[in-house]
Amino acid sequence: MRDNAEFIKNYYGLAFNYCADGARIDPNKIDLELRLIEESNINDLLLIKWWNIVWWSISYQATVGRTMRYLIWDKGHNALFGIFILQSPILFLKPRDQYLNIPKEEHSRWINSGLTAQRIGALPPYNDLLGGKMVTMAITSNEVRNDYLKKY
């Protein structure tokens, strides 16, 4: 986190602008929107990086390979609800490959036919409202499937 101290300070205001006050959250007014982050949307890119650095215990690393990043917004409170990142799976993982009995000649095609979840989580205060379950369910949505088919 020390390596990112300047980044955290510089973009704290941006992140804070989209944080909900837990005391003011009305669960009946939560209205979620799934947003695929486009490379041209600098604010969304900054937000997902900031929360990756600050909120997760595993240090932030830029992803490699195919990547789809999502923000989940609570439109009812104009706040960031959660994030998830999907990325190319690890190409060679012997226990997985043996367990699934993946033939060597089909390895690359089989492994590259999907994405794995790298980060999944609700942000404060939604994490206390079991928002992580909603973020996890969003990964299986038709919107994500359609985004994947359009992109890959």
Side-chain angles (χ1 to χ4, degrees):
M1 184 132 76
R2 283 188 195 138
D3 295 342
N4 296 300
E6 197 66 29
F7 178 85
I8 293 167
K9 283 191 281 186
N10 288 343
Y11 295 104
Y12 171 82
L14 175 68
F16 186 77
N17 284 340
Y18 298 107
C19 287
D21 177 353
R24 295 177 186 236
I25 292 290
D26 179 351
N28 295 315
K29 292 184 180 177
I30 294 175
D31 181 17
L32 300 181
E33 173 185 73
L34 184 62
R35 185 186 299 174
L36 174 64
I37 298 176
E38 303 293 340
E39 294 301 318
S40 60
N41 191 326
I42 301 303
N43 279 347
D44 285 356
L45 290 168
L46 291 170
L47 282 170
I48 202 162
K49 182 177 179 181
W50 194 90
W51 280 104
N52 262 294
I53 293 167
V54 171
W55 188 240
W56 270 266
S57 59
I58 298 171
S59 63
Y60 172 77
Q61 294 178 342
T63 55
V64 296
R66 297 172 300 139
T67 304
M68 295 173 67
R69 295 171 288 218
Y70 286 87
L71 299 177
I72 300 177
W73 286 94
D74 175 2
K75 296 186 301 182
H77 298 93
N78 191 33
L80 187 52
F81 183 91
I83 67 173
F84 63 92
I85 300 173
L86 304 175
Q87 70 179 37
S88 297
I90 298 168
L91 190 55
F92 295 103
L93 188 60
K94 191 173 182 176
R96 174 202 61 205
D97 299 346
Q98 287 176 340
Y99 177 79
L100 297 173
N101 199 25
I102 300 172
K104 286 185 179 182
E105 62 275 2
E106 295 180 25
H107 188 268
S108 290
R109 182 186 62 80
W110 197 90
I111 297 300
N112 287 317
S113 65
L115 299 174
T116 60
Q118 186 228 21
R119 296 273 203 234
I120 306 168
L123 302 174
Y126 300 102
N127 59 318
D128 289 335
L129 298 172
L130 303 179
K133 293 178 185 310
M134 181 59 73
V135 175
T136 303
M137 289 189 326
I139 295 171
T140 67
S141 70
N142 286 332
E143 290 94 334
V144 172
R145 285 187 188 97
N146 291 334
D147 289 344
Y148 177 84
L149 291 172
K150 282 181 208 168
K151 191 169 182 177
Y152 301 112

